[in-house]
Amino acid sequence: MFKNWLYTFFTAGFLAITGFVTSVVVARGLGAEGRGELASVMLIVTLSASLSQLGLSQAVVYMARAFSNLNIKKTFLISLSLVTLCGGVTSFVAIVHFQQINMALLLPAVVLAAALSAGGFTTAITQLDSSLAVYNGLRLAVPLALMTSVLGLILLKILSVELMLWGHVVAAGLAICISMQWASKKFTKISYKRTPYFKYFRKYLS
């Protein structure tokens, strides 16, 4: 228990450091105008990604723990698809409606919102691992990947708001790939006929 707590505490500290370094580098690289434009886009994207979650990740985690003999693989895939679609559609509608940002950033913004929605969902699902090793590992890997991509863009002298958004997409894609790999092993098909909720879940999951 103490080991898990220590690992989580270390992860939080690492996140604070990488977040600070990335923010400073981006601010210096993009300048005041570019930083403001990026902040405007990220506000819409992160809000869209948060709203799209719909509490589904917590629901799937709960069902997986409460109904050990329930096949939740289909629930996971349907929920993931719904969350991803909601994130992309919500960000698209918000950007088009408010028109507060450069419309040239529409595509990377919508893709990023969908990727963050999917990444947030799949990362949350890894909390089914009681050791939280995968969950904390993802929380370390994603900001590290983002910071690395930002530093690479700075060194190549091609840092821009659009490329920053695509860098976020790559980082979110990393989280999705790792967590999906974990989920594919975790969610194996098991008979769920013994559960008292068999008829209810058979209707929606079969």
Side-chain angles (χ1 to χ4, degrees):
M1 181 65 71
F2 177 75
K3 183 179 179 181
N4 293 343
W5 176 86
L6 188 62
Y7 189 23
T8 303
F9 178 78
F10 170 76
T11 302
F14 181 81
L15 286 173
I17 294 172
T18 54
F20 175 76
V21 171
T22 302
S23 297
V24 170
V25 172
V26 169
R28 291 180 63 87
L30 294 178
E33 183 179 353
R35 184 69 182 91
E37 186 175 30
L38 178 64
S40 298
V41 177
M42 290 304 297
L43 176 62
I44 295 175
V45 167
T46 52
L47 279 176
S48 299
S50 298
L51 291 173
S52 70
Q53 296 299 311
L54 304 173
L56 288 176
S57 58
Q58 292 88 342
V60 173
V61 170
Y62 168 76
M63 286 196 297
R65 288 175 173 168
F67 305 101
S68 59
N69 59 340
L70 173 69
N71 175 15
I72 62 167
K73 187 175 181 180
K74 190 172 292 186
T75 303
F76 170 77
L77 294 176
I78 292 174
S79 299
L80 175 60
S81 301
L82 181 61
V83 165
T84 305
L85 181 62
C86 284
V89 171
T90 303
S91 63
F92 176 82
V93 171
I95 293 171
V96 172
H97 177 71
F98 294 108
Q99 296 184 348
Q100 295 292 320
I101 67 171
N102 185 352
M103 295 305 289
L105 302 175
L106 178 62
L107 177 60
V110 171
V111 173
L112 177 57
L116 287 179
S117 301
F121 177 82
T122 55
T123 299
I125 293 300
T126 61
Q127 294 179 82
L128 284 169
D129 179 10
S130 58
S131 70
L132 296 179
V134 179
Y135 177 71
N136 285 323
L138 285 171
R139 294 178 67 203
L140 291 173
V142 172
L144 183 60
L146 178 61
M147 185 175 69
T148 302
S149 65
V150 170
L151 292 175
L153 293 173
I154 287 286
L155 291 175
L156 294 173
K157 298 181 180 180
I158 57 173
L159 183 66
S160 66
V161 175
E162 184 176 3
L163 289 178
M164 270 297 303
L165 294 176
W166 287 119
H168 277 281
V169 171
V170 171
L174 175 65
I176 295 171
C177 290
I178 295 175
S179 51
M180 286 295 288
Q181 179 66 25
W182 175 87
S184 66
K185 297 178 181 179
K186 179 70 177 180
F187 298 142
T188 54
K189 189 172 183 179
I190 306 172
S191 172
Y192 50 90
K193 293 185 178 181
R194 296 179 183 177
T195 176
Y197 303 97
F198 166 64
K199 292 183 179 179
Y200 175 82
F201 284 109
R202 184 186 181 91
K203 179 180 178 181
Y204 292 96
L205 304 182
S206 299

